[in-house]
Amino acid sequence: MEDVNITEEDVMEIMDQFTKVPNLILKRMVSRNVNVIKKFENQILDHKSKLLDNELLKIRKVIEMQVPELQEILLNVYKNTNKKQLKTLADPKAQPFIETNLNYLDMIYFNET
């Protein structure tokens, strides 16, 4: 795989949809480990068709990151933006939620049958 540097902006681009959800609702989804990606699969597939190869590569790199590393980035961005959703996602309790959603995102983008 080509070597690509992932920035906080790249991570935020992928996590952006989660920051649009009110924090109270996001906390509920995290606690229930809801697969949000599955609910938006058709929109994601539509978006995928418009992505360039380098954009897909960045998505793959973020998906392959260890969740604690990803959460550290989210916490750093939270400190700069004060978006409560990022703090919620950076909480270690959110790890299963992030794993569930990233795994499904990986399936949609890279493991088509």
Side-chain angles (χ1 to χ4, degrees):
M1 184 184 310
E2 187 179 325
D3 192 27
V4 172
N5 290 328
I6 299 297
T7 65
E8 288 181 352
E9 289 78 24
D10 295 328
V11 172
M12 287 313 304
E13 199 172 301
I14 293 167
M15 303 301 281
D16 184 54
Q17 294 304 311
F18 293 111
T19 64
K20 293 178 182 177
V21 175
N23 194 48
L24 185 61
I25 293 171
L26 180 61
K27 283 183 176 182
R28 216 174 300 136
M29 289 190 288
V30 167
S31 71
R32 294 180 180 158
N33 197 17
V34 174
N35 186 342
V36 178
I37 301 299
K38 186 174 186 175
K39 294 178 186 221
F40 295 99
E41 184 172 354
N42 290 333
Q43 293 93 321
I44 292 168
L45 287 169
D46 287 343
H47 178 68
K48 176 187 175 186
S49 66
K50 299 170 188 158
L51 294 173
L52 302 172
D53 287 344
N54 68 326
E55 293 170 317
L56 282 169
L57 187 59
K58 286 181 179 183
I59 291 170
R60 180 182 289 280
K61 292 288 256 184
V62 171
I63 288 172
E64 291 176 350
M65 288 176 77
Q66 295 295 312
V67 173
E69 180 184 359
L70 184 59
Q71 288 179 303
E72 188 176 317
I73 293 170
L74 295 172
L75 185 59
N76 288 338
V77 177
Y78 162 72
K79 290 175 183 175
N80 294 325
T81 64
N82 287 320
K83 288 188 177 187
K84 292 177 182 167
Q85 297 90 332
L86 299 176
K87 186 177 181 184
T88 297
L89 293 171
D91 186 316
K93 293 176 187 171
Q95 185 169 343
F97 172 80
I98 294 171
E99 288 171 348
T100 296
N101 283 280
L102 288 181
N103 286 338
Y104 202 79
L105 193 61
D106 182 41
M107 185 187 82
I108 291 171
Y109 275 110
F110 306 109
N111 296 324
E112 291 184 357
T113 54

